[in-house]
Amino acid sequence: MTRVNWALLILIACVASLPLFGGAYALRLGTIACMYAIFALSWNIVGGFAGYPSFATAAFFGFGAYATGILLNKGVPLSVAVIGSLLMCFVLAAALGAVLLRLRGHYFAIASLSLVEVFRELVNNATDLTGGGMGLNIPLASGSGILADATFFFYAMWGLLLITAAVVIIVSASKLGFGLNCIRQNETASNMVGLNSTLYKSVAFGLSACFVGAAGGIYAAWVHYIDPSDVFDILYSVKPIVMALMGGLGSPLGVVCGAFVYLGLEEVVWRNYIQIHSGVLGVLIIMLLLFLPHGLISLRSGMFWRRTKHV
């Protein structure tokens, strides 16, 4: 395993110590930071490795949230419900990916974006099962007090982040990761040398969706109430792309750093510019991308290059 991947695992391990230093607010931020990092890592599989700009993150986040919420209402334990949502998202995304990933570039981006609206309409119309526009109440999973509840869901999201990072590291070093890199560089040439690009892309799309769906399940159990406008928010599809660009496209360590930096900017701007926080945040992101077009990870490579040149 490379030093960069070791650094990623050490960074995630350091996040686990957050309950030793912070209260309920810090745990809330830590849970959201882990969720954003899962989004960015998952998007990196299909967007960073294969080069397909997917906007379907919100679709599978909402699907996983509703699948878990419905299972919890039927008396299924949380762990089983989250694993069930993860498997359903993988199968559904792989099946959809076999069709959608035949499109390329902005055509694929629009098709993946339409999944969000399709899923939202399905949930809105399945009133008996999902509650429709009235939302879905979800029973308490831990019920041990505010701080214990916050700690439980923080470690649940952190554990999922650790699993996601381990899978992404394994994929990047596997035949699947090599095939996805070939597809990103030249898909036509990859097909000509015998690479089954449809299978590779479908598996990548399934992996990019299943952890997002599981995160949606933990989120639903955490907030105890979900509705379509919340879990199918299109910003859940846009934020992972911004995080990946801020951190460094294709780098697992970079996208996790990008997710943490994005959350920090979001919190600081929200506190100081309540009325115009979206505009200020947008300007800061544009400035960051202008001066760091290859993301935060380029700072490390730039420092290394300068040191080598000096020697």
Side-chain angles (χ1 to χ4, degrees):
M1 193 162 64
T2 64
R3 290 181 180 178
V4 175
N5 290 335
W6 276 115
L8 172 61
L9 295 179
I10 292 171
L11 175 63
I12 295 174
C14 291
V15 174
S17 63
L18 184 63
L20 300 176
F21 307 102
Y25 177 70
L27 289 173
R28 174 187 165 276
L29 282 184
T31 307
I32 296 174
C34 292
M35 189 174 79
Y36 280 3
I38 293 168
F39 287 176
L41 278 172
S42 298
W43 186 88
N44 194 53
I45 297 175
V46 69
F49 292 167
Y52 275 75
S54 172
F55 283 84
T57 303
F60 294 105
F61 179 75
F63 181 86
Y66 267 96
T68 303
I70 292 168
L71 290 174
L72 287 175
N73 281 331
K74 293 185 179 300
V76 177
L78 176 61
S79 57
V80 179
V82 170
I83 293 172
S85 301
L86 184 148
L87 294 176
M88 282 189 282
C89 284
F90 178 81
V91 173
L92 180 62
L96 290 172
V99 179
L100 295 180
L101 287 162
R102 295 181 185 277
L103 303 171
R104 296 184 185 180
H106 47 279
Y107 295 104
F108 169 74
I110 294 171
S112 64
L113 183 62
S114 66
L115 282 180
V116 182
E117 290 303 318
V118 171
F119 283 15
R120 190 207 301 262
E121 288 301 319
L122 289 175
V123 167
N124 268 326
N125 288 292
T127 310
D128 294 338
L129 189 63
T130 63
M134 298 297 291
L136 183 70
N137 289 311
I138 299 167
L140 296 174
S142 60
S144 306
I146 295 175
L147 192 58
D149 198 61
T151 306
F152 172 79
F153 284 108
F154 167 75
Y155 277 118
M157 201 67 86
W158 178 84
L160 182 62
L161 170 60
L162 185 62
I163 295 170
T164 307
V167 170
V168 170
I169 290 171
I170 292 170
V171 167
S172 65
S174 68
K175 185 180 176 182
L176 174 61
F178 178 75
L180 294 175
N181 281 324
C182 293
I183 290 170
R184 186 188 65 214
Q185 292 174 18
N186 194 326
E187 186 171 349
T188 305
S190 301
N191 286 326
M192 290 177 67
V193 297
L195 187 72
N196 189 344
S197 59
T198 303
L199 176 63
Y200 276 60
K201 289 186 295 184
S202 299
V203 173
F205 199 55
L207 288 173
S208 72
C210 65
F211 297 111
V212 170
I218 296 173
Y219 172 82
W222 179 34
V223 299
H224 310 307
Y225 170 82
I226 54 175
D227 64 65
S229 63
D230 177 20
V231 295
F232 289 107
D233 189 345
I234 196 63
L235 285 178
Y236 288 136
S237 290
V238 177
K239 286 179 180 179
I241 302 174
V242 176
M243 295 169 198
L245 291 174
M246 286 175 64
L249 201 62
S251 166
L253 175 62
V255 298
V256 171
C257 292
F260 292 165
V261 170
Y262 179 87
L263 178 64
L265 284 176
E266 198 176 50
E267 283 296 311
V268 171
V269 171
W270 177 263
R271 284 184 181 182
N272 295 288
Y273 305 96
I274 295 177
Q275 301 295 331
I276 55 170
H277 68 278
S278 296
V280 175
L281 184 61
V283 170
L284 286 176
I285 290 170
I286 290 171
M287 296 296 290
L288 191 58
L289 293 178
L290 279 175
F291 288 102
L292 283 175
H294 300 293
L296 297 171
I297 200 71
S298 63
L299 290 174
R300 184 185 62 85
S301 56
M303 290 170 62
F304 176 77
W305 169 248
R306 283 195 295 272
R307 188 178 301 172
T308 305
K309 191 176 179 180
H310 176 72
V311 172

